[in-house]
Amino acid sequence: MSENLTVEKTALPETWFGEMRALLTIGVPMALAQLVQFSPYVADTLMIGRIGPAEIAAAAIGSVLYFLLWMLASGPISAVTPLVSQALGRDKGERRDIRRTVRMSVWACFLMLPLVVALLLMTQPIMIFAGQDPEVAALAQGYVLVLAPGLPFTLAVMSLRNFLATIERTVIPFLLVASSAIVNIALNWVLIFGNLGAPELGLIGAGIASSIACIYSFFAFMFYIKWDSRAREFDIFSNLWKPDWDRMRGLLKLGWPISITVTFEGMLFNAGVLIAGAVGVIEQGGFQIALNVASLAFMMPYGLSMAGAVRVGLARGAGNNAAERRAATTTILASTLAIGIFALPVAFAPEWVAAFYFNMALAETRPVYDYVVIFLPIAAGFMFFDAVQVAANQLLRGLADVTWPMIITGISYWAIGFPIAYYTALHTNMGAKGIWYGLTAGLVAAFIGLGIRLWLQLRQPSPL
């Protein structure tokens, strides 16, 4: 219920140019924030790549379980965007309802910590059971345990960022994310290599640096929300310790299909890491680095798509069909153009891109480098399908349409993408290269299915 008695719908642009400007106003800082937020993972890969192929492979398989937990927990956090944006669309003076949503989403982040630790303690036996090299599995076990403390904090930051985006506060959050990335990279330099008198911790140092940076980021966002005049109106941290189980159930109801959807997609790529490991450690190292490049490219359309979810959610809350269609179209266009910035150099200069990840003076890195050069042009090919499918998925999420996207992604990635990746990699002479063809097939299927679903949703009249 609104805390003022006057209900006034949010005003929305009435032209395509106005909508594109509104999207880019919040979308560019969000996309840059996603890019910068991912940069520590690139830095980790770059720095760990200087240690050796076994450490690269350990970081890859450790991240499989870590990001599985991240994906399963992300649903209630992602549900913040449609709930808050539609509430503001209905009434731009709404405060209490939004406060309840954000508060309980932060609760959800920290309630899952025991599950995180319990599962990550099983990393080594799980990975050995999955056919991974025992030495690599042992390295991965230590790595994920020092990553674990930071996970609830990074999820909570995601929740706070989603809230801030709906109230058009994205520039300072981008700077906060950038500062967190700098902290992470600086600590990597100190702890991985033992600089400034610190112990040389290698892979463990990378995990510790990531956790510290996540904790720093959360408290920085808390301080900003208390300081910013617009964010302060919502009094987000009022009664922070008071449970609101009705709202928690609402978050979980909307969030669990989102969690499964994200897991369907993310675990396909993580399954690719494990399949590559079954082919060989060198192939796995090459796959991980090429996937790192593709994931970095994905951050720009992903950030713009998150902004699109806010815009389409505001339009749905205001009951404005024309604004919904403008928001959807501009989001897909912007996401496609953004991915091209990365796809072109990856496609036409893979040697140049791959060289960033290696100390080429070391003979043992050359075989991994060669695989990266083979994989990158294929990855560039699926980037455009990836950009459109993530835009469609986020837009559907902004419309609070989550069940059918879950079904579509499940079929696309696991009935189509995974079987092709598995068979071509392990039962043909393509080897690890076949994994990329499976990933591409899954993304093309999702591109088609989610595109059709979005088109059908935008044809329906908005509920008033």
Side-chain angles (χ1 to χ4, degrees), residues 225-310:
I225 288 171
K226 286 179 172 290
W227 171 80
D228 180 78
S229 58
R230 170 70 168 149
R232 198 165 56 235
E233 294 175 7
F234 294 83
D235 201 15
I236 291 299
F237 301 111
S238 174
N239 299 319
L240 181 60
W241 305 110
K242 179 182 177 182
D244 184 342
W245 301 120
D246 284 342
R247 184 49 50 94
M248 179 68 84
R249 280 190 289 271
L251 282 166
L252 294 175
K253 181 179 179 181
L254 184 59
W256 78 262
I258 298 175
S259 292
I260 300 302
T261 300
V262 173
T263 303
F264 277 148
E265 179 177 7
M267 286 310 295
L268 174 65
F269 288 89
N270 286 336
V273 173
L274 299 180
I275 295 170
V279 177
V281 172
I282 299 299
E283 290 85 348
Q284 188 175 50
F287 182 88
Q288 171 66 9
I289 290 173
L291 184 59
N292 190 262
V293 173
S295 300
L296 177 65
F298 177 76
M299 292 300 113
M300 286 294 285
Y302 182 48
L304 289 167
S305 299
M306 291 170 66
V310 172

Side-chain angles (χ1 to χ4, degrees), residues 140-185:
Q141 176 73 80
Y143 176 61
V144 296
L145 286 179
V146 293
L147 278 176
L151 182 56
F153 290 94
T154 197
L155 288 167
V157 168
M158 178 180 166
S159 174
L160 299 179
R161 282 183 58 203
N162 288 345
F163 155 68
L164 289 167
T166 62
I167 61 171
E168 299 186 357
R169 290 295 188 268
T170 53
V171 175
I172 300 299
F174 159 64
L175 296 176
L176 293 179
V177 170
S179 72
S180 176
I182 292 169
V183 168
N184 197 336
I185 292 169

Side-chain angles (χ1 to χ4, degrees), residues 424-450:
T424 55
L426 299 180
H427 298 284
T428 75
N429 59 6
M430 289 185 189
K433 188 176 179 180
I435 302 170
W436 294 95
Y437 294 125
L439 298 180
T440 302
L443 289 170
V444 170
F447 157 80
I448 295 170
L450 293 170

Side-chain angles (χ1 to χ4, degrees), residues 4-22:
N4 62 59
L5 298 178
T6 304
V7 175
E8 182 180 357
K9 293 181 180 180
T10 296
L12 298 162
E14 297 182 358
T15 64
W16 290 96
F17 177 78
E19 180 56 43
M20 180 63 83
R21 182 172 58 186

